[in-house]
Structure formats: C-alpha cells, structure tokens
Amino acid sequence: MSDLHWNSAITKVEPNKLTVRGYPLDGLIGKASFAQMVYLLLKGEMPSENASRMIEAILVSSVDHGTTPPSVLSALNVASTGAPLNASVAAGILSISKFHGGAIEDCMLTLKSAMDIKKGKGISLDESAIEIIQKFKAENKRLPGFGHRLHTNDPRTHTLFALANELGIADDYCKLANVFVNQLKEISGKELPLNVDGAIAALLCEMDFDPILANGFFMIARVPGLIAHIYEEKIRQKPMRKIHPTDVIYDGPENRSL
Amino acid sequence: MSDLHWNSAITKVEPNKLTVRGYPLDGLIGKASFAQMVYLLLKGEMPSENASRMIEAILVSSVDHGTTPPSVLSALNVASTGAPLNASVAAGILSISKFHGGAIEDCMLTLKSAMDIKKGKGISLDESAIEIIQKFKAENKRLPGFGHRLHTNDPRTHTLFALANELGIADDYCKLANVFVNQLKEISGKELPLNVDGAIAALLCEMDFDPILANGFFMIARVPGLIAHIYEEKIRQKPMRKIHPTDVIYDGPENRSL
Amino acid sequence: MSDLHWNSAITKVEPNKLTVRGYPLDGLIGKASFAQMVYLLLKGEMPSENASRMIEAILVSSVDHGTTPPSVLSALNVASTGAPLNASVAAGILSISKFHGGAIEDCMLTLKSAMDIKKGKGISLDESAIEIIQKFKAENKRLPGFGHRLHTNDPRTHTLFALANELGIADDYCKLANVFVNQLKEISGKELPLNVDGAIAALLCEMDFDPILANGFFMIARVPGLIAHIYEEKIRQKPMRKIHPTDVIYDGPENRSL
Amino acid sequence: MSDLHWNSAITKVEPNKLTVRGYPLDGLIGKASFAQMVYLLLKGEMPSENASRMIEAILVSSVDHGTTPPSVLSALNVASTGAPLNASVAAGILSISKFHGGAIEDCMLTLKSAMDIKKGKGISLDESAIEIIQKFKAENKRLPGFGHRLHTNDPRTHTLFALANELGIADDYCKLANVFVNQLKEISGKELPLNVDGAIAALLCEMDFDPILANGFFMIARVPGLIAHIYEEKIRQKPMRKIHPTDVIYDGPENRSL
C-alpha cells in the first residue's frame, strides 16, 4: 500500500469476476433490470420491486424531448463538425445544467427545506409551503419544478404520480408537491402546475435520494435521446449545416400504441 | 418555413403531448422498460419481447468495471476539482474512445466484413474467418473483441451468449464469433476467448444495429457507473487528492445474491 | 429578420473581410500580439502598451505546472484511450474549476468586496481587510489566493508584481493584496503569502476585468500546456497505461536561460 | 519508484521553482511572449525571433470568426443553460474537429505527402502536386486547405504569406501551396485559392511542426474568441434562448485601426 492508497465500495474487480455492490455481475445479467442497476449503483442496495418500477418509469419519462432542448442543439452542432459520437454526447451532457434539468435538484432542495421547516416548527405542510413561497416571492424568484413554458398540463407528471400512488411510493413529498400547487394558486392567483422536473423531484425525495444525484438521473435517462439525435444528424444531414433551433418539423411515424 | 428548415423523425413535441417514434410518451411510462426505449429511439421501432430482454442484459453487463478504466479516472480527476456532476460525467464520456469501448464497433466491423466475404465469395464461415485473421496478422494488428488483459474467461460473455441462445437472438454472428475463437487458436496457438466487447458486438450485429451506434450502447450503460464513482468521490474524498490508478481496494459488501 | 434575431458586438464577418471589435483582422496580423487580441476580445478595446505587456506576462506565468494538476491528469487519461487531441483538451478544461484555477475568481471577488467595504464605510484598506479575514475565520474558510501547498514563496508572484510596478499597473488592489498578507500574519500568526492565483486576481482587478472572466485567462494560458502534455502522452507512452499521479520525474533539459 | 514510474520532459516542478523545458518560468515572465511559450512547450526549444513573430501572427489570424462557426454555436447553447464558463468552452473545443479546423492537419498531411512524392520520385513540385490532385479527383474528394464557402480571396492568407516572406519563413511548402492553387485551376478550371487553414498548414510545415499538433494551434488561438462569445451570451442574453445560427447582426464599433 502506497501513501496514496484509497478505497471504493462500488465494484470489486478480480480476474474473471466482477462484483457490483456485492452482487456478482454475471448473476445479474438477464435477471436484473437496468433500472435496478441504476438504483443499486447509486444507493448501494437493490431496490424493492415497486421502487424498481418507479425508477424505470422516471427514466422512461425523460428519454427525449425532441430537438428543442439546448442539450440536443449543442450535441448536433458538435456532431455536425464530424466529431465522434462520444464528443457530441459530452457536449449534450455539458448542457444539462442549471436551467436545463437543474430544476430537479432545486425542487428537491425546496421540498426538503419545506419538510425541515414543517418538522422543525411543528407546523402543517400548508404553512410550511406558504413560508417557502413567500420567501421565493420576496426574492423575486420562480419556484423550481412548477410551471412550464410549453406544457400547462404535463401528462408525464400525471402518469408518474398515478404510478407512484399505485406502487405505494407516493407519500409526504408527493402531498407536499400538491400543497405547493394549491398554495401557489392561492397566493399568486396563477395556475402553476407541477412539471415533470418537479414530479421527479418529489419521487426522488420519496425514495430518499441525495439531491446531488438529481441531475444524474436526468443524464442517465437522456443519453439515449441525445444519441438518437446525433445519429440522425450523422446519417441524415450534411456536415457543417446551420442548425435552426425552431424551424424543424417531425416527420416520423404517427399515432402508434404498444 | 425558412431556408434552414429541417426535419427530425424522433420525437414530436406539442403542448401537453410528447410522442416518441409515434408512441405517446405518457402511454409508455410505467409500461415500457428503459431498454425498450433505447431500442425504440435508436432503431425507430419497438423491440420484440426477446430483443428487449437482450438489450436489457447488454446494458446491465456494462454498467461498471470498478475504478480501473480511464473513463472513471478522468471523471474522478475532474470531480476532484469541485466540478459539477455533469462536467465530470462528460470527461468520463470523452474517454470512451478507440481503446476503451471502441472494440465493440471495431469487432462489429470485423464480423460484418467476414460475413460479407463469406457471402461475396460463397465460402464458409471458417474460411472467411481465416482470411480476416491472416489479414490482421499480416498487418500485425490484434483482432478487436478477442482476448482480455484481465479476464481470461469472462463470465459476462458466457451469460450473454447463453441468454442469446435462450432468447433465439443468437444466430450466424454468434456462430462466427466462436469460429474466430477456434481459428485464432488454430492459427496462433493461443487461447484468445471472446471478450465482453466482442460478445456485445456479435449481439448488436444479430439485432442489426449500425456499428456507429456501438459506442452509444456502451455510453448508455456506463453513465450510471460513472455517476456512482463521481458521487463517491464527492462524498468520501477530499478535493484535489492525488488519485492513484491501482492502489485502491474494494471495501463494500461481499457476496450477495438476488 | 426573424423573431429570433439577435446581435453580437464581437466580430463582423463579411466575404473576404473579418473585423474584430472594429479592427480589420488582416491589419492586426503581424502587428498586434496575441495578448492584445485577448484583451481586445474580452474588453472590447485595444489595451495600452503597458496593459498588453501585463496580460502577456500573466498568460506566460500560467502556461504550465507540470504533470501535477488534475487538468493534466484528466487530459492524459482521456488521451490514453486514443481520443483525439480536442477531446483530451476538453477534459483538461473541465478540470479548471472551483479548486483548480477557481481561486483567481474567488480572490477577485474577495478583493472587490474588501474595496467596496472600504469605500462604503470610509475605512482604511487594513480595517477592511481585517473585517474580511474575520468573516472567513468565523466561517472556517480559507482566504482564496493566499498560501500554497507547494510554493511558500512563489517566484511567479514576485515577478508579476515587480512588472506591474514597473508598468504602472499596480495600484490599490496590489496594495490591498499585500495588506491581506500582513493582516493574515497578524491575525493567524501564519505566513500565508500571496500565491500566483492571488497575484493574477489583483492584476485583473487593476485592469478592471469582470471576475467571471478570471477562469478564462487561466484557460487561455493553460491550453498550450495541456496540449504539450497530451502530445507527449501520444508520442511517448503506450495506450491505456495506468497514470501514476506523483511517481513521475522530469527528464527534459536542465538550466537554460534566454 | 513504483512499477508505474514515468517521465515527462515538459515542466520541472520544485518548491518555489517551475522550470519549463529547462527555462526557469519566472525568468520568462515579462520577457518571453505567449507565442514563444507555445513554441517552447510544443517543440521543446525557444523559437528564433522570426519564428516567434510567425507563430504570433498565426495565433492572431485565428482568434475569432464571429458567431458563424459550430464551435461558437455549441458553446452558446451550453452557456445558455447557465453552465459555467469552462463547460461552455469545452463544448466549443469539442467542435474543433474534422470539418471545423481539421483542414489544417489534413492540408499539412497533403503537403507533406506531395513533398515526399517529389523527393521519392525525383520529380518537380508541379508534377507531384498534379499527382496528388488527380488522386483526390479520382476519389471525388476536395483538397483540404483550398477554397472557402465565404472568402474567395482571404486577406488573412495574403497577410500571413507576406509576413512569412518578410521573415524568411516561407520556403518550399509555401511554394508548394501556390503550385497547388495553379494546378487546381489548370486541372479543374476553377479558382480554388489557398484558404487560411491551408496557409497555416504550409507555415506549420515550414516550421517543422507535427501535423498532430495542427488542431492544437487552432484551439490555442480560438479559445479567447470562444470566451468572448460565451461572456457576451452571459451578460447580454436571457437563459435558454433559442439561438438562431444566421439571423445575427454585428452591432459593435466600426472601422478602427491601430
């Protein structure tokens, strides 16, 4: 052991044997889902069947948002120069930041802060939400996770929350998120529905994930979408084209269901 | 429409409605798996049940390889400077390149080239493999996807191929991969077993994926592993530490099973 | 003009004519220095002859720090996978963050804050410095720009400040930096000399640069160093080697002077 | 010494002493130019006075090209998400690839190949250029470094070559570049003037730089331009705006000279 010796508790690497968080990897292949591996890697333990399904749903809900996000536009601009796939993905990942995906972490912090106030002061969820909303209002800031420039009634949010109820994942944080929606309407007079970032934030709080990891879930989910767009750029477009951010029309298949 | 108008066939974005490759996204949440979404995004169609399970297994097999790969070491060096999660992930992604993950694409190209020779010349898989091996030998190059500096008998490979047989995914490309192993032994006298990159290459060929996407599967699979390591660095280590590439011991849980 | 019309005040691009901040670029080639271009691009105006020399000296002082910084180690880990030069440079750039280079911006903010307190309260530089030091002490934080784990008496700092005096660039901010050194010794009893980050911070304050740009100067300066290390990795080392962070010895030429 | 011991010939780091390629760094601050440091770092030796001026001119010629290049557009898309300066710069760097900046390396390789043919076969520069042009024509490829979609008569090229003549840097490779222009016209009937990438390629060949480093010069030169654009985005634009790639007008100062 050198004086730079360190430890890691993630994966044990031995000749012909890989063990992830104590589970031999070859015993997981074909048995565990990718969503379970995400949970196992980030929490250190295998999720319950219901938590597995919740993580799977969260990842599915965030795989892509078309050509509108800056992560896709930066990735396409890089891909357009003939850069390899991984460099283009990296540029997309670099865009998953404060104003793009960042609301998940910020909303988790807000919800946790409201929960702390509730517990610390022995007040109700409503009183605690009001306190937070007034604080944001005083600082002239938007509450992260509520409202969306495009989706006023995001079907992803409803589906995620319905599933969370069905799976028994929904608890105080989901209640709190809805309390915020009601109090925001009460105080501001405006409908500011929970958006998909806010919904994921509440669900990650329910499953006790560290807010630092919020952006991680978004990145894991979105990489396949980024790759699909970069691949389409490479096979369908000319190099060095000027990429218009809005004058783009969907021309894929319409209206299918499972 | 401006003169920069373009089209995209991936996701249709409308107010309160997201449609991925024609499937309303909210109808997929809770029903489709993440692995299915990966297939849908990259191929444009939903996979069969068996292909879904194969993709899931491929992703699970590649989630992490401990602290040994350069992708983890570059990500940790970035994380150690206090950089945000996404910048650290991007540095890891930038390492998924020619000599790290690149063997999947290179092996796909080799297998496809052997299959083309077989069909073009009307010769057997063995004859075609011999031709390719002799060509690599003449150029003093290693055949990508065969042999591993650490794993002489990679259990991931066996598990993936056993599953592929069970699911009916294994066909000519898997046969060809084994023909290569036998002919490599015959010609070089050395055991150069198919490694996990080679196994994934054969399976992606069986499912008719474009080799350009090979690295994409590896990135999708590995991002959760990268995030787990970066998170561990952030919560367990001091900033700006000197990161030794080999003097690291696993100290997580031992020997568990599902 | 579309509804996405925007303006930029940096470079006008016309056929056969490029004009940077109003200066035709071909009139600058062979006449202006690179350091002058940096100033012109970032401030919008040509620097004085003395400011040019100061910027040049700042850039020269930061070109490289051997194989020790995490920016070099992350860049080498990426380069070692066979990644192209630009991907390796990008990984290095991603390490120029809070704890690596970030002290320049943090020290600029501290110096500006001290100057604001001095002006706002009508107190002396010493009183203002004491106030700031006590605040950092109360929060158990280190003052950015002072002290260095390796260089107790950094010759770069002395040379930069001597030049700043000679060129008439040194003024209140340089005085303030020295006041901090004296007060830190007074209050903590420890020698915490101004380090090179702190010196550059004071000089960028003197030339009225926005602290947001601090890291930019460090990146501009350090890219050639990163490229030299990546190039050495590519021509001198085997791919996928394990890169030890400290067991490295300099074997270049010794003791030369201009 | 561990079994991972390695050497580096770039910078010796000792307490209170940094020595770059044998030159104490504090002896260079205020004396050497940044362009000289670039040469010293990449070649290992101090340049002649004339080579210094040539490198300086090459760097100045490439500092910016307005908002048109994909490197600026990807950097702005990243910056627009609230990402830090270094992440935005990294995205720009990732765009300096095959079709953007890559012509410098490709043109160096072409010029060197023509020079090798000339020497190997004992033929004239013209004959060697014709051989290369015919080869590109047969493969239906464009000769890198010649022609530009916007600049038919690039003033940067002329100024760089005029300076190279004045400094005695221009020799066989500059001649060869002009031979190519003449033969291209002869063979194709089209005017395909040497562009700025081609001019820099010829000059880097004259100074005997490794073509691997070509993109490095472009990156070193362009980072200040990228930073100027990212800074402008941060202080002048709203987050998450849609960045139009062409509907942008220069609104800075007009027509100034040194």
Side-chain angles (χ1 to χ4, degrees), chain D residues 222-241:
Chain D
R222 189 54 63 91
V223 166
L226 288 171
I227 293 174
H229 287 285
I230 296 162
Y231 181 56
E232 192 183 56
E233 182 72 25
K234 282 182 178 289
I235 60 175
R236 198 173 175 180
Q237 303 287 351
K238 284 192 185 156
M240 298 295 282
R241 75 176 174 111

Side-chain angles (χ1 to χ4, degrees), chain C residues 9-250:
Chain C
I10 299 170
T11 296
K12 187 171 185 177
V13 179
E14 300 165 285
N16 303 319
K17 194 173 177 194
L18 285 173
T19 318
V20 179
R21 300 287 194 191
Y23 294 92
L25 183 52
D26 56 301
L28 299 169
I29 299 170
K31 296 200 179 65
S33 71
F34 182 71
Q36 286 175 305
M37 296 307 291
V38 169
Y39 190 105
L40 177 64
L41 279 163
L42 300 186
K43 288 267 267 191
E45 297 296 327
M46 266 291 166
S48 69
E49 176 57 25
N50 285 353
S52 302
R53 289 187 57 200
M54 196 71 247
I55 295 293
E56 189 101 51
I58 289 172
L59 294 179
V60 168
S61 75
S62 305
V63 284
D64 196 46
H65 198 277
T67 57
T68 64
S71 52
V72 168
L73 292 166
S74 54
L76 296 189
N77 270 295
V78 172
S80 175
T81 68
L85 183 55
N86 72 330
S88 312
V89 171
I93 292 267
L94 291 171
S95 301
I96 294 177
S97 190
K98 195 174 169 194
F99 301 114
H100 175 30
I104 306 176
E105 179 172 350
D106 291 342
C107 184
M108 284 182 80
L109 294 171
T110 310
L111 294 173
K112 280 177 172 290
S113 158
M115 205 60 92
D116 286 349
I117 291 170
K118 174 192 172 291
K119 285 174 191 161
K121 298 196 176 172
I123 58 176
S124 70
L125 284 179
D126 278 273
E127 288 166 321
S128 160
I130 291 169
E131 196 172 319
I132 297 273
I133 293 169
Q134 298 293 12
K135 188 167 156 282
F136 272 80
K137 221 181 151 180
E139 295 169 4
N140 206 19
K141 284 189 193 160
R142 291 185 53 226
L143 208 63
F146 299 87
H148 195 281
R149 89 207 122 76
L150 187 64
H151 306 303
T152 51
N153 191 14
D154 194 323
R156 294 171 296 178
T157 304
H158 299 293
T159 314
L160 284 173
F161 265 42
L163 184 66
N165 277 315
E166 187 192 320
L167 296 173
I169 302 284
D171 197 350
D172 276 0
Y173 283 102
C174 290
K175 261 180 229 152
L176 179 58
N178 285 321
V179 163
F180 267 106
V181 171
N182 294 335
Q183 291 297 348
L184 275 167
K185 192 177 172 182
E186 197 75 29
I187 292 169
S188 71
K190 274 183 253 172
E191 291 279 359
L192 284 168
L194 191 68
N195 60 37
V196 71
D197 289 340
I200 293 172
L203 297 171
L204 294 178
C205 283
E206 298 290 17
M207 290 182 285
D208 201 26
F209 279 99
D210 189 330
I212 297 176
L213 288 168
N215 243 352
F217 281 94
F218 189 67
M219 283 186 260
I220 294 167
R222 191 52 63 90
V223 166
L226 288 172
I227 292 173
H229 287 284
I230 296 162
Y231 181 55
E232 192 184 54
E233 183 72 24
K234 282 182 179 287
I235 60 174
R236 198 173 173 180
Q237 304 287 352
K238 284 190 185 156
M240 297 296 280
R241 75 176 175 111
K242 301 285 177 188
I243 300 172
H244 196 293
T246 56
D247 190 7
V248 44
I249 288 180
Y250 174 75

